[in-house]
Amino acid sequence: MYRIVRKEALRPTVTLYEIEAPLVAKKAQPGQFIILRVDENGERIPITINDFDPEKGTVTIIVQTVGATTEKLSHLNEGDCLQDFVGPLGKATETEGKKKVCVVGGGVGCAIAYPVLKKFHDCGAEVHAVIGFKNKDLVILEDQFRAASSVLKVCTDDGSYGQKGLVTDALKELIEAGNQYDEVFAIGPMVMMKFVSKTTEPYGIPTTVSMSPIMIDGTGMCGGCRLSVGGEMKFACVDGPDFDGHKVDWDLAVKRNQMYQEFEKHKYEETCNLFKKEAQ
Amino acid sequence: MANMSLKKNPMPSQDPNVRNKNFDEVALGYTEEMAIDEAKRCLNCKNPKCVNGCPVNVHIPEFISKVAEGKFDEAYGVITSTNSLPAICGRVCPQENQCEGQCIRGIKGESVGIGRLERFVADYHNAHGHQGGAPAVPERNGHKVAVVGSGPAGLTCAGDLARKGYDVTVFEALHQVGGVLVYGIPEFRLPKAIVAKEVARLEHFGVKIMTDTVVGRTITVDELMDDMGFEAVFIGSGAGLPMFMNIPGVNYKGVLSANEFLTRINLMKAYLPDSDTPLIHPKKVAVVGGGNVAMDAARCAKRLGAEVYIVYRRGMEELPARREEVEHAEEEGIIFKTLCNPVEVLADENDDVKGIRCIRMELGEPDASGRRRPIEVPGSEFDVDVDCVIMALGTSPNPLIKSTTEGLEINKKGGIVVNEDGLTSREHVYAGGDAVTGAATVILAMGAGKTAARAIDEALSKK
């Protein structure tokens, strides 16, 4: 069992969990993910690692409540245990040998973008960052991003904080201003990563995206996480999760991720109702 | 006096029209009377060919004569002296190609029901417990061995070594122990409670099990040996990435590997209302392939209420699945579309599968595998109306361990290279099962686990 040693609500629906998992903490690298199961009937869900402390033996994840499993997770408290916590899975992000990079994070994807950004920074790269949120209330990790980047642009869809507009607009401004990036690294909703890739393509800037498709085992067994990259079949769990954003077949990836949408919606409502009943 | 009936005692089973709507076990097992009657069909040959047909050399005539005498507990002792997982083998072994395929009674009539008797003996033992209490746990010999993967190869290797006094730890990537026995083979063919019992027996012999541990990620083979003090490692990590056909539409929504479909159902119990794991409930399904995994996927889909087709490019005679599985599938209403092969998956504007385009095949001359090669009949394409396509075409070995273990030799197909003892190119590192051969059977994996256990014992006992 894997104990929650710290739980912190970053925003009403975005929560940080620090979990006791010494073997995972010892091996974790930025860009890798874990798979967790909340309880006996739980689904296995992949979540990218936010932080890790090999000495303390803990791994930190930041999770937005979006479905049945994340709802159940949000009802656990410090001291409670997760049924399963496996990792680190996937390949680590390649951060060495870059002079200047721009890291783009969208929404809770910023939780994952941050350790990658920090690693780029620690490897000696000049780091710019663009982070985007729906509105002011959802902004997370701004101070951490600011500390590790020389330029930071915060965007909100409604303009309630920072620059109004999409991360792609801000990224384009940076590129147009003459910044020459060796690489753009994007993590966030699939649609955002798709448009970041479309934005950088005309400039020929190598662009890496972190994919999070449907997955069960996460070790190269089920084939649920397959993607078409450059016309070849790739498995996010063992070949990724990082891929060349200019080669990913985005329309296919977006549609495949909707495969269980109906079920997930139904299960989420069912779970929420259950918690409501318990509360009464 | 031997029972000279030409027919096996039939296996009592659930009615096909009842069982194709539930996940309970299909075959119900022999009663004591049936088992004794069937055991009396064995001629107790002086030179028993059946034993040679068994990858783990179960002393077949010996255990069957104990059954004939009604000494079921002694029969169990005979079987388990060479086979650690009898309740499982009795259910899932392809007996017709192994022990029963060699049985002398099979020349004129049906062979002795060896598999059914093995199952009976194991189930009797599990129901009645061991006479005279639990078997003694051997004294520890102080040697530490790591086993990677808790499928049939790993469990067999672990069991054999633990019984010899080794300190064995099994590392499993998933949250449950059993490998393909729990994520692949459905409940109705192998109840998970039986796997759990066999695992508990290994734990009784001192085997330690660590779930949620991915060797190649959480910990490497080298760390097991250098940091954790394991003197030998057995890799039984199983088959890996599922194969898909290289045809248009293979990534549409509703196309999934048999591994994914079966894992959702068997490991995650997604067919039960309490499970949080999503599952599609298709109306019409095409399962592509003709092996045991294809039969399992088809029969699961049937139980979810679908109309199910098996699409296979060769004929009924060539189906690689166990004969009993094919018979059960037919009885349950699975429709076989043999001599036909998919050429394209069709979908609507949302990428949801709406059909599969197939082409008819005919059989030509035998190919390298000795089976007649299927050849397309030009212009014979036709569409089948389905909303789900399940690919059951086999798997390629898992890349995680080979990519993180230096000096581990791999063959062209990605399988780990081993010698006749199961030894890899690395000293004290052994391997067996699907990780070596690619997708094969439970019993072959067990045979490989057994061979490696013997070799590990020889190597370490000299130290």
Side-chain angles (χ1 to χ4, degrees), chain B residues 55 98 153 433 437 440-449:
Chain B
Q98 295 174 342
T437 55
T441 60
V442 167
I443 189 73
L444 280 175
M446 289 179 56

Side-chain angles (χ1 to χ4, degrees), chain B residues 84-107:
Chain B
S84 342
L85 311 169
I88 294 169
C89 290
R91 286 172 166 82
V92 304
C93 270
Q95 288 98 1
E96 70 262 30
N97 302 325
Q98 295 174 342
C99 52
E100 294 183 20
Q102 307 281 327
C103 176
I104 210 94
R105 295 293 309 260
I107 298 170

Side-chain angles (χ1 to χ4, degrees), chain B residues 327-345:
Chain B
E327 283 165 13
H328 280 161
E330 281 187 300
E331 288 166 11
E332 289 168 14
I334 310 289
I335 301 158
F336 283 76
K337 289 187 179 288
T338 50
L339 289 170
C340 93
N341 204 31
V343 290
E344 185 178 356
V345 180

Side-chain angles (χ1 to χ4, degrees), chain B residues 167-187:
Chain B
D167 180 357
V168 184
T169 306
V170 178
F171 296 87
E172 168 56 47
L174 291 171
H175 55 262
Q176 206 179 329
V177 186
V180 72
L181 305 173
V182 298
Y183 76 71
I185 301 176
E187 179 77 16

